[in-house]
Amino acid sequence: MNDTINLVDLDSNLQAASPQEILAHALAEHDNIAISFSGAEDVVLVDMASRIKPGVQVFCLDTGRLHAATYEFIDKVRQHYEVDLQILFPDATAVQQLVNEKGLFSFYQDTHKECCAIRKVGPLRKKLLTLDAWITGQRKDQSPGTRANIPVVQHDRAFSRPEEVLVKYNPLVNWTSAQVWDYIRSNNVPYNKLHDQGFISIGCEPCTRPTGPGQHEREGRWWWEEETKKECGLHR
Amino acid sequence: MKITLVKKILADGSPCKKCGDVLEKLESSGQIAQIDTILTADERDPESDGMVLAKKLDVDRAPFFVVEKDGAAPLVYTVYMKFVKEVLNQKTEEKDELKEIMENNDDLDFL
């Protein structure tokens, strides 16, 4: 079996499907699957999935630097939905080494990559190595420069176990922010109160700020860094 | 086992910096001896060997490695450290692995 080709065909078939249809497919296809929940507007995935398959696995990456409002919101989601919500923590030794060597705010000088690698990617990889598939809230409109070609379903080669396929689903990929918020309002979905304070994209407290009228959400994250220069993609 | 490395030439004709970095690591470590073929994905030429292979295997980034074993589907590695650890069986530092994943996957920013 050629999994890559199968996933390409599946992606093509699911491009016109609704997020609920994509989620239903993903949850039916894999028992060992989990939703990555950031504590922001991707709560719509938790809402949709809990209606399709109560008890679905959901995980959050607690970097140790989230806003208090995000912690409160994550706990609210835990109580509100019938899901198996797990909170993942970074390796304490790695965090301690970084902080002892470079202080608590090294990302303002060294870019956010090193800190994110330790606080987010490490625990994420540890979790994904236990799964067959995962679900993200990625959308194309979050960053037209880097997310324009995100598929609905793909083989996640960065985090797969050796010689195995890890499937990554992006059910919201073709939705706009407006559609997400229509869903939240229409279905009385709880949301992070930081959104009411001008935050669009919500990450760690020192790295996230509200955006003004007309600003893209990317400008609310890592604003001290230059726009990421894309070089690794293949423009086919 | 056959190992192919695909490196990239950018649309403006310049070499891809990440590909150059990986090639340098392969050469300085002596791992280059285990690479059977090096192909070029030239963004100016969709018919270039590397671009054709990328399309065939649905790979959207470079550099990448393709590992072929008899009777098995080809394995694709887009993370150098993962390739080194799993295919060449060499020890890597977790810190370096995570840093490479973070640097090469912009989609992780919004998690």
Side-chain angles (χ1 to χ4, degrees), chain A residues 123-143:
Chain A
L124 175 67
R125 182 171 72 164
K126 195 173 171 186
K127 176 65 183 175
L128 294 182
L129 285 171
T130 71
L131 297 174
D132 297 332
W134 67 304
I135 298 166
T136 85
Q138 289 187 109
R139 300 194 317 272
K140 288 178 181 171
D141 75 346
Q142 286 169 316
S143 183

Side-chain angles (χ1 to χ4, degrees), chain A residues 36-43 60-63 65-74 116 120 137 139 142 147 177 181 184 190-211 216-223, chain B residues 108-111:
Chain A
S36 165
F37 170 48
S38 70
E41 60 196 358
D42 53 355
V43 65
C60 299
L61 302 171
D62 179 2
T63 62
R65 304 295 290 269
L66 301 179
H67 296 259
T70 301
Y71 288 113
E72 289 168 14
F73 177 54
I74 290 170
C116 281
K120 290 200 298 192
R139 300 194 317 272
Q142 286 169 316
R147 293 194 162 195
S177 175
W181 280 98
I184 290 173
Y191 62 86
N192 191 324
K193 64 186 181 187
L194 290 172
H195 289 299
D196 288 333
Q197 297 169 26
F199 289 82
I200 301 179
S201 180
I202 298 172
C204 290
E205 188 275 336
C207 301
T208 309
R209 68 178 181 180
T211 46
H216 190 272
E217 69 178 81
R218 180 67 176 78
E219 296 177 74
R221 301 282 284 271
W222 310 296
W223 56 91
Chain B
L108 295 175
D109 270 354
F110 286 87
L111 288 176

